[in-house]
Amino acid sequence: MSEAYELKAEARERVGKGSSREIRRNGKVPAVIYGDKQAPVSITLDYKTLYYKIHGGGFKTTIANILLDGKSIQVLPKDFQLDPVSDKPVHVDFLRVSAKSMVNVHVPIHFLHEEASPGIKRGGVLNIVRHDIELHAPANAIPDAIEIDLTGTQIGDSIHISAVTLPKGVTSVIHDRDFTIATIAAPAVLAADEETTEAAAAETTETAENEGE
């Protein structure tokens, strides 16, 4: 898990679209802290600091300590909105967490050792079905990524969630089926050759049957 970081915040008394636009014009980003059976708290954050945190990776899987009015509030980013044109953050939602909190979070998947996959060496293609997995994990022990070793995989192999070793205390949110994460697909040329071979074999068999009649 990535190391927690701090964000300095200011309380926001006024809410609404007009107030939010003014906040953004002043180089700030409106945000809200909710959860833990407490009233939501509206805040503003420094735009530049938040921009680099969001685009630096791991934003939604790393705990932050928000410094507000002399207090530190431990949170996990749950959602954020970006401007569709500039990619600038326009709003962020934070969830209060503690050492005992369990959260659902999407964790990215990293595939390792493609060079050790006989299937990929033969021209097979890694077909990624899921780029991340939604996990149920302790808020203070969220994995940065789930690593899947491709060593020994062959063309036609499928990698399912049951083959993935998750960290202690972490489980998949989807638990009613053994879903597919990735497959090693045949290259287009090989697949076409196999189809041609199968078609030729079928034609030969049909011809032999007709001659037998």
Side-chain angles (χ1 to χ4, degrees):
M1 179 178 177
S2 299
E3 186 177 349
Y5 59 92
E6 293 184 346
L7 290 174
K8 294 180 180 179
E10 296 176 358
R12 178 163 57 110
E13 296 181 359
R14 295 189 302 120
V15 295
K17 292 183 178 179
S19 174
S20 295
R21 283 195 293 266
E22 183 180 352
I23 288 169
R24 296 184 191 107
R25 283 197 298 267
N26 293 328
K28 303 285 186 178
V29 179
V32 63
I33 303 171
Y34 66 94
D36 199 27
K37 299 180 181 179
Q38 298 183 46
V41 177
S42 297
I43 60 173
T44 63
L45 298 165
D46 176 68
Y47 156 74
K48 186 177 290 187
T49 302
L50 194 59
Y51 178 90
Y52 286 113
K53 287 297 181 183
I54 289 176
H55 293 286
F59 182 65
K60 294 175 73 173
T61 58
T62 305
I63 285 178
N65 292 308
I66 293 182
L67 305 180
L68 178 66
D69 296 334
K71 296 180 180 179
S72 178
I73 306 172
Q74 193 175 63
V75 300
L76 184 69
K78 287 299 292 181
D79 197 13
F80 59 86
Q81 298 171 16
L82 300 178
D83 183 280
V85 177
S86 65
D87 260 0
K88 293 180 178 179
V90 296
H91 191 272
V92 184
D93 290 338
F94 293 100
L95 176 68
R96 288 186 186 89
V97 295
S98 66
K100 296 181 179 179
S101 297
M102 297 292 292
V103 296
N104 290 350
V105 60
H106 287 269
V107 175
I109 300 170
H110 292 171
F111 295 91
L112 308 178
H113 307 138
E114 288 190 35
E115 72 284 355
S117 165
I120 293 177
K121 281 185 177 180
R122 289 178 55 208
V125 178
L126 176 62
N127 176 35
I128 301 175
V129 179
R130 291 174 180 267
H131 290 272
D132 59 50
I133 308 176
E134 187 176 13
L135 300 177
H136 189 62
N140 61 352
I142 300 172
D144 293 324
I146 298 300
E147 297 181 341
I148 294 179
D149 190 348
L150 297 175
T151 300
T153 52
Q154 303 283 353
I155 290 176
D157 284 354
S158 295
I159 302 168
H160 298 90
I161 185 61
S162 59
V164 178
T165 301
L166 297 175
K168 184 178 179 181
V170 177
T171 59
S172 170
V173 170
I174 300 174
H175 52 76
D176 59 346
R177 64 184 186 277
D178 191 16
F179 58 85
T180 301
I181 296 173
T183 63
I184 307 299
V189 174
L190 179 59
D193 289 345
E194 289 178 348
E195 289 180 2
T196 301
T197 302
E198 290 175 0
E203 185 177 347
T204 301
T205 301
E206 183 178 351
T207 300
E209 290 177 348
N210 291 337
E211 290 177 351
E213 293 177 353

